[in-house]
Amino acid sequence: MGAPGCGKGSMADRIEKEYGYPKVSTGGLLRDAVRNGTPLGLEAASQLGKGKLVEDRIVLALLRERLEKEDCRAGYTLDGFPRNLSQAVSLKEMDGRRPEAVFDIAVDEETIVKRILSRLTCGRCDAIYNSVAKPPKNDMICDVCGGPVIRRKDDDPVVIKERMRTYHEQTEPLIAYYDKGGSLHRIDGNGTVDETYAPIRKVLDRMLGGERGRGAGR
Ligand code: AMP
């Protein structure tokens, strides 16, 4: 969890790579559905990119379908879900054992805005780049899939304000919700990707008994 641009996606990528728990990003699922023109994608299209939350019904339908896939059976890393209290309750109903750990990544607002304005994303596979710190190797071509690297429509100064407002109003209250449940870990996300990841890795290693790989410790 964390505000837009806090590094959720990059941390989920790292966890997937190191521990094998696939990254499940609801923003990514929504963008995919829109790109593929599926019925839910057509509904979501008019709601995406404005900085507001997409209807729970649409997000939950996409998430449910994704979590039913075989690769999620041993565990998964949610990125950008839940984003409001009713989604947190739905998650509990969907998978009562989870979440086992919640990471709240805190970053100063000034840093967030700077990061988002320099963020680039693959328009095909959603890989994350940064125009300053981590540009694609070949001019605006994704290193991973060869797709076009673009600036997301909502990575824009006006939409960022709305995304931050939505975050404070609807998502931030979940920190107290998960803190009460005892699964919350507070992470300082102001440093580099490595610095932010280090304490997350420590928690996961402790939980998984230092084992690596898909389904480790289960
Ligand atoms: P993200 O890729 O996480 O920055 O999400 C991009 C956009 O997708 C958000 O600004 C929302 O409009 C929508 N979105 C992503 N996840 C959710 C969610 N869990 N609930 C509602 N809308 C979401």
Side-chain angles (χ1 to χ4, degrees), residues 4 8 25-28 30-31 47-56 59 79-83 87 119 126 152 154 163:
K8 299 187 288 288
S25 147
T26 41
L30 285 161
R31 284 186 289 277
Q47 301 178 31
L48 255 187
K50 295 184 177 153
K52 295 192 171 38
L53 295 187
V54 170
E55 268 175 85
D56 286 354
V59 177
D79 161 18
F81 186 95
R83 260 176 152 104
Q87 292 183 3
R119 174 159 73 178
D126 246 32
R152 259 169 58 178
D154 53 349
R163 289 167 73 191

Side-chain angles (χ1 to χ4, degrees), residues 114-115 118-120 128-136 192-193:
K114 252 194 244 157
R115 269 193 206 166
S118 59
R119 174 159 73 178
L120 298 168
I128 305 163
Y129 298 91
N130 182 290
S131 59
V132 187
K134 192 192 162 203
T192 62
V193 172

